[in-house]
Structures are given as C-alpha cells and as structure tokens.
Amino acid sequence: AGVSQSPSNKVTEKGKDVELRCDPISGHTALYWYRQSLGQGLEFLIYFQGNSAPDKSGLPSDRFSAERTGGSVSTLTIQRTQQEDSAVYLCASSGQGDSNQPQHFGDGTRLSIL
Amino acid sequence: AQSVTQLGSHVSVSEGALVLLRCNYSSSVPPYLFWYVQYPNQGLQLLLKYTSAATLVKGINGFEAEFKKSETSFHLTKPSAHMSDAAEYFCVVGRGSTLGRLYFGRGTQLTVWP
C-alpha cells in the first residue's frame, strides 16, 4: 500500500479549523508535508524523521501545525483558515529520510476555503 | 544553498517528437537529483533518480536524464512523445546529506498534440 491521505477533498468556510491526515508507507521513518498552490511548485511545510524534533522551517504561519503520533500517522492542522490556504496538501514518506531516498507521495488533499 | 530552475513552465510537442525538459540546479555540495511526474489529480510519481553511478540515468516510460556537472544541468528527455506523457514534470534536488528535505522546481507542464 502507498501513502494514504484523507480526506481527498475538503471545503470549509473561512475561519474554521481543518485537520488533514496522512498515513505513510509502513516502516517509513521519514514523513513530509508539502503545499501545492495553483501555478506554483511544491512548497515544503514540515519534515518528521523518526523520533527527532521535526523540521518546521516551512510552516507559513503559527496557524499551521503538525504532529506525528507513534512514528506513523501524521495530522496537519490549519487553524482559522484563510482563503490563501486553498491549495492541494501533499504528504510523502521515505524509508530513512536521507536526501538520496526517493519520496513516495499520496494523492493529496484538495482544500478549498470559501 | 540549493535551488532548482526549470526553464519553461509549458512545453508543447507533437506525438512522436522529441521531449526535452530543462533543469538547472545550484548546490553547495554534490547533489541528489530526481525527476517526478504528476498526472492530473494524482500525487507525484518518481520518474528517475541520479545516483552518481552513471551520468545518464534511465527511468520509467522511456524517459532518461543526463547529469552534466560542468553545466549544473539535469535535463529530461524522451525520444518520442506519447499522448500519455502529458503531465507536469518536476525537477528535484536533495541536499546531499542525511537531511531529507528536497527542493522542487516550479514544474513544467508538458502538452502532447496528436
């Protein structure tokens, strides 16, 4: 099984909180979140590697947070959503987190803020 | 610092014609290089990966890429385009370390005309 993301689509009103879920490939220790806006490339958000402190350097504001429970499933939370948060949120996992390891992507969650 | 430049956000070719998607990178260390493809409404799929074992890398679906250190390039080619190749292609560079974050180019949308 590959990387699984849910929901596949999410429509919500401005100001609401949303949670996006990512279930990585079993045994993969590294997990990444990216954001893909229309006409843009992929924007790195956050990276988890094993039990190490996550690399949060890509989170655009303090409204964004993510956690990874038990070294497996991850949840990306966006609080007080804004229209500019509308994008496809992609999750990826890799075996060991080395940058020579290919990342395996889920199909993404398409988030629309009304 | 790492960066990736993809020349041309859109490329159009006729079916059966040569596909050439250009990518230049900058990296302070020997890089890890990848090409990913994204079909409509899907996540990203690995096309090929440069491992330093050979400068010419063969990937899936008849694609290949050549690493040219002197030109800091990693252009993607396919001798004969097929309609099914229509997708968005991303050139990606890793930091050449154990840190897993990847840096994505802005993508090139390939259109194949019948």
Side-chain angles (χ1 to χ4, degrees), chain A residues 36 40 97 99-100 103 106-107, chain B residues 36 38 43 49 97 99-100 106:
Chain A
Q36 186 176 27
Q40 305 292 317
S99 59
N100 68 340
Q103 295 180 11
D107 286 342
Chain B
Y36 281 82
Q38 186 177 31
K49 165 187 164 183
S97 72
L99 300 176
R106 294 175 71 88

Side-chain angles (χ1 to χ4, degrees), chain A residues 32 34 36 39-42 44 47 55 57 90 97-103 105-107 110, chain B residues 32 34 36 38 41-44 46 49 90 94-102 104-106:
Chain A
Y32 311 79
Y34 297 89
Q36 186 176 27
Q40 305 292 317
L42 267 72
F44 166 79
Y47 158 50
D55 176 357
S57 60
L90 292 167
D98 291 357
S99 59
N100 68 340
Q101 296 288 318
Q103 295 180 11
F105 285 81
D107 286 342
R110 185 175 298 277
Chain B
Y32 298 116
F34 309 81
Y36 281 82
Q38 186 177 31
N41 299 315
Q42 294 185 25
L44 281 78
L46 180 69
K49 165 187 164 183
F90 293 92
R95 264 197 274 197
S97 72
T98 58
L99 300 176
R101 177 177 175 175
L102 297 181
F104 285 76
R106 294 175 71 88

Side-chain angles (χ1 to χ4, degrees), chain B residues 75-108:
Chain B
H75 301 332
L76 181 71
T77 62
K78 182 174 180 177
S80 177
H82 191 273
M83 297 291 289
S84 61
D85 295 327
E88 189 155 22
Y89 293 80
F90 293 92
C91 182
V92 183
V93 62
R95 264 197 274 197
S97 72
T98 58
L99 300 176
R101 177 177 175 175
L102 297 181
Y103 296 81
F104 285 76
R106 294 175 71 88
T108 298

Side-chain angles (χ1 to χ4, degrees), chain A residues 36 40 42, chain B residues 6 8-13 19-21 35-47 60-61 63 76 78 81-91 106-113:
Chain A
Q36 186 176 27
Q40 305 292 317
L42 267 72
Chain B
Q6 290 185 241
S9 58
H10 290 84
V11 170
S12 296
V13 300
V19 176
L20 171 60
L21 305 182
W35 276 96
Y36 281 82
V37 60
Q38 186 177 31
Y39 298 103
N41 299 315
Q42 294 185 25
L44 281 78
Q45 177 182 358
L46 180 69
L47 261 185
I60 62 172
N61 301 336
F63 283 91
L76 181 71
K78 182 174 180 177
H82 191 273
M83 297 291 289
S84 61
D85 295 327
E88 189 155 22
Y89 293 80
F90 293 92
C91 182
R106 294 175 71 88
T108 298
Q109 182 68 45
L110 176 66
T111 300
V112 181
W113 300 103

Side-chain angles (χ1 to χ4, degrees), chain A residues 18-41:
Chain A
V18 295
E19 286 189 350
L20 312 180
R21 176 188 169 100
C22 173
D23 202 341
I25 292 174
S26 178
H28 278 190
T29 60
L31 186 147
Y32 311 79
W33 283 98
Y34 297 89
R35 179 168 70 175
Q36 186 176 27
S37 303
L38 189 63
Q40 305 292 317

